[in-house]
Amino acid sequence: MAYTRGNLAVKQKPAEKVVRKYRETTKVVVRRSALPIQEKMLYLATVIFCVAIASVIIWRYAYIYELNKNAQDMASATALLQKQTTQNELRQHLLENDIVARAAALGYIEPTDTVPIQVSREKGTAATSSDVKVNN
């Protein structure tokens, strides 16, 4: 007895021979069940944790790179300032050696006495040579 669509009272028809030009195949479709919400949340939390750790590491590397760049900039600026200081010291030394010759060329003479001239700090008064005492 044939079982046809849930009804045993229906007589089964004999199979007719039909020449088919195509072959009917069946395809098994496997549907995956959806992930439970807890598992989805676990995956999401894992991804967020990994992204946070990667972000912190990248931020720290960027900060270290910035510090290294600032240190290199400061080192190059220091080297430039030292070079300028050396040039200025050389120029000062050359000017100190040349100042006597320039003064003589301009007609200045070296003082013969070594007594300094005293100037009063009070406003409106001038010290005279009689007011200044010379200690010999």
Side-chain angles (χ1 to χ4, degrees):
M1 198 175 277
Y3 183 77
T4 307
R5 293 186 189 167
N7 191 352
L8 294 175
V10 177
K11 185 177 181 182
Q12 186 178 7
K13 295 180 183 178
E16 298 176 11
K17 287 200 169 191
V18 178
V19 178
R20 294 183 183 165
K21 295 182 181 178
Y22 63 93
R23 182 175 173 187
E24 189 174 326
T25 59
T26 58
K27 184 176 181 182
V28 178
V29 177
V30 178
R31 295 185 117 194
R32 291 183 58 192
S33 62
L35 293 174
I37 294 203
Q38 289 129 351
E39 195 172 351
K40 287 181 184 177
M41 295 305 279
L42 177 66
Y43 291 153
L44 181 64
T46 304
V47 168
I48 289 174
F49 179 74
C50 290
V51 167
I53 295 297
S55 298
V56 168
I57 290 172
I58 290 171
W59 177 74
R60 292 299 292 172
Y61 273 106
Y63 181 70
I64 290 170
Y65 173 77
E66 182 182 357
L67 288 178
N68 286 339
K69 185 171 181 341
N70 288 343
Q72 288 176 355
D73 290 344
M74 294 297 272
S76 64
T78 303
L80 179 65
L81 288 175
Q82 285 178 346
K83 182 179 176 182
Q84 289 176 350
T85 303
T86 305
Q87 289 174 350
N88 288 339
E89 287 175 352
L90 177 63
R91 196 173 307 144
Q92 177 186 4
H93 182 66
L94 291 175
L95 287 175
E96 285 175 353
N97 291 340
D98 192 36
I99 196 159
V100 175
R102 280 189 176 186
L106 291 174
Y108 295 107
I109 57 169
E110 287 190 47
T112 55
D113 56 347
T114 58
V115 178
I117 300 172
Q118 299 290 329
V119 178
S120 173
R121 290 184 178 235
E122 294 178 20
K123 202 172 197 181
T125 61
T128 59
S129 60
S130 63
D131 294 341
V132 176
K133 295 180 182 177
V134 178
N135 294 332
N136 288 337

